[in-house]
Amino acid sequence: MIKFFRQIRQKLLSENKFSKYLFYAIGEIILVVIGILIALSINNWNSDRIDSIKEQNLLKELKSDYLSNVKEIEVTLNQMITQQVAYERIFDYLDNNKPVDSALQKSFEYIQGIGVFNSSNTTYKFIETNGINLLSNSEIRKDATILYDEYFSNIVVRRNNHYHLIQNNLMPFMKKEFRSSSVYYEENNTTRLILNVPINFERLREHIEFRNTLIEIYDYTIIRKVALEKTLHLLNDKIMTLEENILK
């Protein structure tokens, strides 16, 4: 092709047709420029296509992490609800002289639990490291930052506070007033270790410090439960936003 254009130029020059040669040269330059622009356009289109594929993969991975976090929160939330019911049953026993039964004994096993939340953050860490602008949607960028840097971080902070509250305020009393006990079940020939069995149930009713400590932990359990419910609702909303931006 280049040889063909060169032959045309040489023929025009040899025939002394300078005006036609000039016109031809300008046309050739225009063709070259158009070719360059087309090449750049194709290159940009290809680059945009690659970026779009990368972004779609990130959105899918982020959705997968969000769904994992939903499961984690639901498990932790169920633990908080179980604890709430256990505390309320113990309060009922302490305040209303209810008899000791298996449900009450089971409730004492739950008073040390804190519910552990481990967030799935692999995709968010990748986005943080490689630039949040990998996500073109500003709403999704903002959502991810708020969820991980505020909501999920606060869940961990509250969990740690809950743990220290139990370790510092409740455990010293439990070491003195509770024990573990093995129970043998003759019908299936098994033995089960029962945790947190009060040494003297009646004495618990008279112990104001124990009751006040339980109230403090119970109140914090409710705070955590409400915060988890709020986070779960927000997280499900953001999953819907991701789904709207993921190409089918």
Side-chain angles (χ1 to χ4, degrees):
M1 182 65 70
I2 295 175
K3 184 178 179 182
F4 173 74
F5 286 124
R6 185 184 300 119
Q7 289 175 347
I8 294 176
R9 288 198 305 271
Q10 290 174 349
K11 183 180 178 182
L12 291 172
L13 287 172
S14 65
E15 294 177 356
N16 203 23
K17 296 179 179 180
F18 182 76
S19 59
K20 290 184 178 179
Y21 171 80
L22 183 62
F23 178 77
Y24 171 80
I26 293 172
E28 189 175 345
I29 292 171
I30 292 173
L31 286 175
V32 170
V33 171
I34 291 174
I36 292 172
L37 292 176
I38 291 173
L40 289 173
S41 178
I42 292 173
N43 184 64
N44 290 338
W45 173 83
N46 191 53
S47 178
D48 290 343
R49 183 180 64 84
I50 293 173
D51 288 343
S52 178
I53 292 172
K54 289 180 179 179
E55 182 178 16
Q56 284 295 309
N57 289 335
L58 277 179
L59 292 177
K60 292 173 184 177
E61 291 167 3
L62 193 60
K63 177 187 172 183
S64 178
D65 284 353
Y66 281 8
L67 290 172
S68 296
N69 287 322
V70 165
K71 292 179 181 178
E72 280 283 326
I73 291 175
E74 287 175 341
V75 170
T76 306
L77 188 55
N78 286 334
Q79 291 173 326
M80 294 295 97
I81 293 171
T82 299
Q83 278 188 279
Q84 178 184 353
V85 172
Y87 284 125
E88 289 170 354
R89 185 173 287 118
I90 294 171
F91 291 141
D92 191 34
Y93 166 76
L94 295 176
D95 296 338
N96 301 310
N97 292 322
K98 292 292 182 70
V100 176
D101 55 19
S102 60
L104 176 65
Q105 292 176 331
K106 189 72 175 175
S107 295
F108 281 109
E109 294 190 51
Y110 293 121
I111 61 178
Q112 286 177 263
I114 61 170
V116 177
F117 169 78
N118 295 304
S119 70
S120 297
N121 61 2
T122 304
T123 307
Y124 183 66
K125 289 297 182 184
F126 176 83
I127 293 171
E128 272 192 322
T129 302
N130 294 276
I132 196 70
N133 289 327
L134 288 171
L135 299 174
S136 61
N137 188 307
S138 60
E139 180 183 358
I140 292 176
R141 293 199 304 266
K142 182 179 178 182
D143 290 344
T145 301
I146 291 174
L147 279 170
Y148 281 97
D149 292 352
E150 293 183 24
Y151 282 83
F152 295 164
S153 293
N154 287 338
I155 289 176
V156 175
V157 169
R158 292 189 185 98
R159 179 200 65 194
N160 293 339
N161 290 343
H162 196 175
Y163 172 79
H164 291 300
L165 188 60
I166 289 173
Q167 291 299 311
N168 297 334
N169 296 11
L170 182 62
M171 288 306 297
F173 177 83
M174 293 190 68
K175 289 177 181 178
K176 295 185 296 183
E177 298 293 337
F178 288 76
R179 60 182 172 81
S180 297
S181 176
S182 296
V183 177
Y184 174 71
Y185 297 93
E186 187 175 351
E187 61 272 14
N188 55 8
N189 192 31
T190 59
T191 301
R192 177 175 176 269
L193 180 65
I194 299 178
L195 303 175
N196 303 337
V197 179
I199 296 173
N200 188 321
F201 279 93
E202 290 299 321
R203 190 161 62 201
L204 288 180
R205 286 198 177 104
E206 303 170 1
H207 209 297
I208 302 301
E209 181 186 351
F210 172 70
R211 191 182 189 287
N212 290 340
T213 299
L214 279 190
I215 291 174
E216 185 179 12
I217 298 173
Y218 172 80
D219 289 344
Y220 202 78
T221 300
I222 299 301
I223 291 173
R224 287 189 64 197
K225 183 171 88 77
V226 171
L228 286 167
E229 290 171 339
K230 183 178 180 181
T231 303
L232 184 60
H233 178 74
L234 178 65
L235 189 52
N236 282 319
D237 281 348
K238 301 317 173 186
I239 289 173
M240 291 179 62
T241 301
L242 284 177
E243 290 174 342
E244 292 170 356
N245 286 269
I246 293 175
L247 299 178
K248 305 299 183 183

